[in-house]
Amino acid sequence: MPKYNPSKIEKKWQKKWQEQDLYKAVDFDKRPKKYIMVEFPYPSGDGLHMGHLRSYCSLDALARKKRMEGFNVLFPMGWDAFGLPTENYAIKTGIHPAKVTKDNIATFKKQMKSIGLSFDWSREIDSTDPKYYKWSQWIFIQFFKKGLAYQSKMPINWCPSCKIGLANEEVIGGKCERCGAETSRKTLKQWMLKITAYADRLIDDLEKVDYVEKIKRQQINWIGRSYGTEIDFKVVGSEDVINVFTTRADTSFGITAMVIAPEHSLLEKLITKENKSKVKAYVAASKKKSEFERTQLDKEKTGVFSGSYCINPVNNEKVPIWISDYVVATYGGGAVMIVPAHDKRDYQFAEKYDLEIREVISGGNVSKQSYIDYGTLVNSGQFSGLDSKTAIEKITVWLIKNKVGKKTVNYKLRDWVFSRQHYWGEPIPIIHCQKCGVRSVPEKDLPVKLPYVKKYEPTGTGESPLADIKEWVNVKCPECNGPAKRETDTMPNWAGSSWYFLRYIDSKNDKKFAAPEKLEYWLPVDLYNGGMEHTTLHLLYSRFWHKFLYDLGHVPTIEPYQRRYSHGVVLAEDGRKMSKSFGNVIKPKNVVDQYGADTLRVYEMFVGPFDQMISWSTEGVHGCFRFLNKVLALFNDESKITGKNDKGLITKLHQVVKKVDEDLDSMKFNTAIAAMMEFVNIWSENNRVLSKKDAQIFLSILSPFAPHLAEELWSSLDNKQSIFKQPWPEYDKKLIKQEIWQLIIQINGKVRDKVEVKQGISEKQVKELALAQEKVQKWLNNKKPKKIIYIPNRLVNLVV
RNA sequence: GCCGUGGUGGUGGAAUUGGUAUACACGCACGACUUAAAAUCGUGUCCCUUUAUGGGAUGUGGGUUCGAGUCCCACCCGCGGCACCA
């Protein structure tokens, strides 16, 4: 009897599949198309992670099933290879980032192939390839031409000791990750993308896609659209006006202070002489804090009085103007009206600085805590007695009439800072000419290649390392031919990943990012799977780029992804993140060497619900290995596959086919495998046999999960063609109906008895049967049930 | 803190979406095979009382319902995101 030797059969079939070109997606094929995509990985030096594989194995199973169902499946893979870790590694080791990237990609690809993933490698892409980033740059130029890419002064994290800009991730507790020095903020001119211009559509078009509700929620909350009122507060003794945005105009009569952000444009004018030094010190201190720190609710609020006042238009009261860093400069005009009685943060602020807490909405006890719910207005002049909702409307109308306010919409979403002062990214294709100004690089000159140099260390001035490469920076202006300089900032890692799903469709095209007919055929992506951690930023960014391209007529669909699904993280056995520093990383290669790729695949899918976080368990892997061994043993046992008609087992088989079919489509990989295990356990029982034909049906449903073993057993049954060229089996709807089912008899909701009954039994019969049971009689104790509830095919509940 | 999400045996989890809680798998215990171990096979395995019957249990507390892991309210804990990690 041949023993299960995964390494031998897996290599054999991987080779054969490659020779047969089994997974090639065919442009314009007559079969219906199915575009299934998993997020392309960042090829880090650590190699493929178990978390990557969880997504790849599961979606691979689905892709395989869809091919068997007759779809023309596009299931591609590529590399999101620009980024900070590679650059930092290169600086540390002196190995060029291009070389690091190339090596890492080779490792990743080899590992993927060893798992038997059915990617169409002919469409492979690499975001660091000039042939690829040419089009990232081209899209940027389109943004620039439409005025959606613009320059603005923005703060970055700055380490005064290392003299480099830092990513948020590199700032830990306000200190530089590398040297421990206290970081500050440095303002630089940065390229921005105007994503806010698409805010409404990014919310509204979610109605057109089938993302799970929680993902939609996160997108909507991130954009944070709120309808409200803008109110003008005149500064006392000046012509200046402070605009404030509020969603709670009904609380206007409770305003007892005004607070502006330290970055507010009127700040300088508002400070009175006696408060100058205090304010200056406060502003300097707040510059050191990150926005995250500043807005944390649990932290104690700080602030200083400016010395100035403004006028509350609804009651003409004089209101003191304060400065506090919990106010965000970029949201709602950078000023907040303080209504201590009806806002949590305002309440804290008022208690600390002894401001008046004036109740204007009844319903709570504002001497103890803020009352933030809607209610009835009090102490609000002519508006007293109204409910909050009506009052918001009426007060807003009053403000508009008196020309001191208007209705507005506000978004939490901010424009996208698109500049990075790093070497390992796509150069921004812009030329700065002293005479002509800012000009985009002519499209015929694309790509602007990243110069291959030995030195890519930071410059010390905050500028990109590219700024030091004089021969690259100095160019002629494309318009006047005079002396000009290249933009030295590069794009963020997000750039390449914002449109890569389009490039897979036509990855070799050098005239366009993709041919329109091919885009027409393949778009949208039918299913896009990736990590939970990408459901706000990456997803939003790529939707934004796609919509922009749609507006220019370059893509045929409004949305890029029809369905988005997110998988949970894979933690280590100890419940912590798999990390080198914890020493708890499980390498895919070791598992493949010991158990084979099929076992690893089955385990990755069996371990738990796909969308939830799971912990790795080496012992669990062993269980999956045992399952595959049992399958092999059954097929090696001639007495198990005969022509006999085992009706009970065939019914079970068709039930499993149905279960696997439905579970795969709804991404419930774990229960699909559990059902197959259950079936194999029953089949293994004495005297349980299948016909060859039925045994092959089982192989078909197993094949997406354990492709190598299924293909091996399939060929051992004298089949010449690959199992993946076979149609997906259909189940017999008549066969799976149970003739007998178990009636649960409950008394007051507790199970007291179980009886087997025939399909089609009437309600009356069920009730009579239930009452006739000995146990039921005992529990009823001669009493008559008050009520009888019958759930067909399930249970009957007698209420006493 | 804000937004999202989760909490079920010793462990990973299942539960027809309001209808038998603990499928499947791991681990453990006992048995078979073996000189022995591993592997494999078989039996058992939520807790309490028990010959049986019975009672209790899905993070905690309350509620709705004939019936709640599932719905509602409050609280506790874990995880992801928070805009320059990808």
Side-chain angles (χ1 to χ4, degrees):
Chain A
M1 210 205 301
K3 254 200 99 202
Y4 184 31
N5 184 350
S7 65
K8 206 168 150 195
I9 65 168
E10 287 174 359
K11 279 201 190 94
K12 178 176 89 184
W13 288 111
Q14 281 161 17
K15 202 168 152 240
K16 285 201 180 177
W17 292 333
Q18 193 165 359
E19 284 162 10
Q20 291 176 36
D21 228 349
L22 216 51
Y23 312 127
K24 197 159 182 146
V26 186
D27 294 328
F28 311 120
D29 192 272
K30 282 204 186 81
R31 288 170 296 166
K33 69 96 185 178
K34 189 70 74 180
Y35 188 171
I36 298 175
M37 193 170 90
V38 285
E39 279 172 2
F40 64 163
Y42 179 74
S44 74
D46 300 333
L48 215 47
H49 188 275
M50 285 302 181
H52 292 123
L53 281 181
R54 189 170 186 207
S55 165
Y56 304 159
C57 291
S58 306
L59 274 288
D60 181 68
L62 189 63
R64 285 177 184 276
K65 182 199 179 218
K66 290 294 154 197
R67 287 192 200 97
M68 291 170 87
E69 284 182 328
F71 287 96
N72 180 25
V73 172
L74 172 52
F75 185 48
M77 185 38 72
W79 318 105
D80 186 17
F82 275 132
L84 203 54
T86 303
E87 178 161 322
N88 287 342
Y89 179 80
I91 290 170
K92 217 163 79 187
T93 60
I95 308 168
H96 196 278
K99 162 90 172 110
V100 176
T101 298
K102 207 180 143 212
D103 293 348
N104 289 349
I105 287 176
T107 309
F108 267 64
K109 197 168 172 181
K110 197 178 145 202
Q111 285 184 305
M112 284 183 189
K113 289 198 164 175
S114 77
I115 308 293
L117 298 167
S118 64
F119 296 126
D120 178 354
W121 286 108
S122 70
R123 294 166 186 264
E124 179 181 355
I125 57 172
D126 168 3
S127 65
T128 66
D129 180 351
K131 287 185 190 134
Y132 180 89
Y133 69 68
K134 171 182 178 179
W135 298 105
S136 305
Q137 293 174 333
W138 180 84
I139 297 169
F140 178 86
I141 289 173
Q142 310 312 310
F143 276 118
F144 177 70
K145 284 181 176 168
K146 289 283 169 196
L148 294 175
Y150 64 96
Q151 285 180 290
S152 171
K153 285 200 165 174
M154 294 299 285
I156 61 162
N157 300 310
W158 179 253
C159 174
S161 157
C162 306
K163 291 197 171 22
I164 49 166
L166 297 172
N168 286 345
E169 200 193 42
E170 298 173 297
V171 181
I172 294 171
K175 296 200 167 102
C176 172
E177 187 188 40
R178 307 157 195 237
C179 70
E182 193 101 9
T183 60
S184 63
R185 311 273 263 170
K186 187 183 173 92
T187 304
L188 283 183
K189 214 174 189 191
Q190 306 260 51
W191 281 97
M192 310 282 292
L193 290 187
K194 210 174 173 61
I195 189 171
T196 51
Y198 281 73
D200 281 320
R201 287 165 63 191
L202 287 167
I203 290 178
D204 299 340
D205 290 348
L206 285 171
E207 272 179 33
K208 301 185 170 110
V209 292
D210 325 310
Y211 301 174
V212 274
E213 202 44 48
K214 62 182 176 187
I215 297 177
K216 286 190 183 180
R217 254 300 37 97
Q218 281 209 343
Q219 295 255 306
I220 290 168
N221 291 345
W222 181 260
I223 297 167
R225 173 165 64 187
S226 51
Y227 296 96
T229 312
E230 197 178 294
I231 308 177
D232 301 336
F233 288 73
K234 255 203 156 134
V235 177
V236 176
S238 109
E239 287 303 301
D240 290 323
V241 168
I242 299 175
N243 301 110
V244 168
F245 173 80
T246 179
T247 57
R248 292 298 302 272
D250 57 323
T251 63
S252 310
F253 286 80
I255 299 172
T256 53
M258 167 71 68
V259 178
I260 62 170
E263 297 86 355
H264 198 278
S265 57
L266 292 177
L267 184 82
E268 290 291 331
K269 284 195 190 173
L270 294 172
I271 313 169
T272 54
K273 260 190 197 152
E274 54 272 25
N275 291 294
K276 205 156 201 167
S277 59
K278 244 171 43 187
V279 174
K280 283 258 153 91
Y282 182 79
V283 172
S286 74
K287 263 193 182 159
K288 287 188 180 161
K289 298 191 212 165
S290 72
E291 192 168 293
F292 180 57
E293 278 178 282
R294 282 171 48 172
T295 52
Q296 267 179 319
L297 239 178
D298 55 343
K299 283 239 170 105
E300 202 179 327
K301 302 290 160 300
T302 57
V304 280
F305 179 47
S306 71
S308 298
Y309 293 86
C310 58
I311 300 294
N312 180 353
V314 296
N315 56 11
N316 282 317
E317 273 183 26
K318 224 170 114 183
V319 176
I321 304 171
W322 286 67
I323 296 138
S324 175
D325 60 14
Y326 80 87
V327 177
V328 182
T330 46
Y331 184 76
V336 175
M337 56 188 224
I338 293 279
V339 185
H342 304 291
D343 182 278
K344 251 190 188 169
R345 290 193 292 189
D346 294 356
Y347 197 90
Q348 291 174 1
F349 193 78
E351 278 197 315
K352 181 161 180 192
Y353 294 106
D354 214 15
L355 301 171
E356 189 195 342
I357 297 169
R358 187 192 302 163
E359 181 181 50
V360 289
I361 311 286
S362 63
N365 181 3
V366 300
S367 62
K368 287 226 172 82
Q369 57 178 10
S370 59
Y371 177 72
I372 55 173
D373 291 340
Y374 280 180
T376 307
L377 270 71
V378 292
N379 304 323
S380 296
Q382 49 170 311
F383 302 102
S384 293
L386 296 175
D387 65 281
S388 291
K389 248 188 168 164
T390 318
I392 289 172
E393 194 57 37
K394 293 231 160 136
I395 291 175
T396 305
V397 169
W398 184 91
L399 290 165
I400 295 168
K401 237 195 224 159
N402 291 277
K403 303 204 166 133
V404 284
K406 59 180 179 197
K407 277 192 184 178
T408 48
V409 188
N410 233 295
Y411 303 91
K412 287 209 181 96
L413 182 71
R414 308 197 295 257
D415 277 343
W416 175 5
V417 181
F418 201 67
S419 280
R420 298 291 183 271
Q421 292 73 45
H422 285 289
Y423 171 76
W424 196 230
E426 304 89 336
I428 291 179
I430 289 289
I431 289 169
H432 300 270
C433 172
Q434 286 167 337
K435 227 161 81 192
C436 312
V438 184
R439 289 290 178 268
S440 57
V441 171
E443 288 178 19
K444 66 172 171 51
D445 294 340
L446 293 180
V448 177
K449 279 197 193 167
L450 189 61
Y452 192 94
V453 288
K454 292 247 161 61
K455 191 178 167 292
Y456 33 77
E457 278 80 6
T459 54
T461 61
E463 278 185 293
S464 153
L466 294 176
D468 272 355
I469 308 167
K470 295 283 172 281
E471 61 280 17
W472 184 80
V473 171
N474 294 315
V475 284
K476 282 179 182 166
C477 171
E479 241 159 83
C480 70
N481 222 18
K485 283 184 189 305
R486 281 191 194 282
E487 172 63 56
T488 57
D489 282 356
T490 51
M491 299 186 195
N493 165 277
W494 308 104
S497 61
S498 289
W499 70 282
Y500 71 115
F501 50 94
L502 301 172
R503 189 62 175 170
Y504 283 136
I505 289 171
D506 198 5
S507 62
K508 306 244 165 22
N509 196 327
D510 56 5
K511 302 275 182 305
K512 285 192 159 134
F513 65 82
E517 319 83 72
K518 291 188 186 175
L519 292 168
E520 183 71 45
Y521 178 82
W522 286 110
L523 283 177
V525 177
D526 294 285
L527 175 60
Y528 182 29
N529 186 74
M532 210 59 210
E533 68 275 20
H534 293 143
T535 47
T536 42
L537 291 179
H538 160 65
L539 196 61
L540 202 68
Y541 289 156
S542 58
R543 290 180 60 222
F544 162 49
W545 277 43
H546 188 86
K547 285 180 180 303
F548 172 68
L549 290 171
Y550 174 80
D551 288 347
L552 296 187
H554 294 300
V555 294
T557 59
I558 297 174
E559 285 283 335
Y561 319 117
Q562 192 53 44
R563 191 172 164 209
R564 162 79 192 193
Y565 212 90
S566 296
H567 63 270
V569 200
V570 179
L571 298 176
E573 201 133 18
D574 55 12
R576 294 185 295 182
K577 268 190 183 170
M578 280 200 195
S579 152
K580 263 196 208 158
S581 57
F582 295 143
N584 57 7
V585 179
I586 306 277
K587 291 194 169 165
K589 186 178 184 301
N590 297 347
V591 180
V592 173
D593 288 349
Q594 195 180 347
Y595 294 103
D598 281 339
T599 297
L600 176 58
R601 293 172 61 109
V602 170
Y603 177 70
E604 287 269 5
M605 290 183 255
F606 180 62
V607 61
F610 186 56
D611 60 348
Q612 269 166 52
M613 170 183 77
I614 54 105
S615 295
W616 183 264
S617 155
T618 300
E619 277 160 350
V621 178
H622 194 76
C624 294
F625 182 67
R626 273 210 279 255
F627 165 62
L628 295 180
N629 272 284
K630 274 189 196 174
V631 173
L632 180 74
L634 281 167
F635 278 84
N636 281 336
D637 183 351
E638 273 178 32
S639 71
K640 282 294 180 187
I641 304 170
T642 67
K644 272 196 230 159
N645 185 13
D646 185 336
K647 208 180 164 211
L649 192 57
I650 291 172
T651 299
K652 293 269 180 232
L653 176 67
H654 283 262
Q655 283 169 346
V656 182
V657 172
K658 179 173 191 273
K659 177 87 179 145
V660 171
D661 181 66
E662 290 171 355
D663 282 359
L664 262 179
D665 285 341
S666 47
M667 319 284 279
K668 285 153 83 176
F669 305 98
N670 53 332
T671 48
I673 291 168
M676 287 190 288
M677 286 175 168
E678 218 171 335
F679 176 76
V680 164
N681 289 343
I682 295 168
W683 188 8
S684 302
E685 287 168 11
N686 282 336
N687 305 319
R688 292 291 203 175
V689 294
L690 281 183
S691 67
K692 186 177 161 187
K693 200 181 116 224
D694 290 325
Q696 288 184 346
I697 289 180
F698 177 74
L699 282 183
S700 291
I701 60 166
L702 178 69
S703 68
F705 302 89
H708 308 88
L709 180 65
E711 184 81 296
E712 174 72 15
L713 296 176
W714 176 259
S715 87
S716 76
L717 293 174
D718 300 324
N719 291 295
K720 296 281 169 278
Q721 218 185 22
S722 168
I723 190 167
F724 297 106
K725 296 235 166 177
Q726 303 307 309
W728 182 251
E730 278 179 37
Y731 56 88
D732 188 329
K733 287 199 179 95
K734 273 184 234 147
L735 255 177
I736 57 171
K737 264 209 174 164
Q738 299 269 35
E739 276 165 30
I740 288 169
W741 56 275
Q742 199 177 42
L743 174 72
I744 307 297
I745 302 172
Q746 293 184 334
I747 292 168
N748 289 338
K750 292 214 150 94
V751 182
R752 295 304 182 191
D753 206 357
K754 299 169 187 181
V755 194
E756 296 214 319
V757 295
K758 275 197 178 160
Q759 196 66 248
I761 187 167
S762 74
E763 183 168 347
K764 204 178 150 215
Q765 283 172 306
V766 165
K767 286 180 181 172
E768 279 167 8
L769 185 71
L771 285 170
Q773 296 304 310
E774 207 179 301
K775 280 185 192 165
V776 174
Q777 288 291 332
K778 206 181 105 195
W779 278 100
L780 284 179
N781 203 8
N782 285 329
K783 276 176 260 170
K784 264 202 164 175
K786 262 190 267 178
K787 205 167 151 192
I788 302 178
I789 291 146
Y790 173 56
I791 312 291
N793 290 315
R794 197 119 316 163
L795 56 75
V796 62
N797 188 14
L798 313 176
V799 186
V800 188

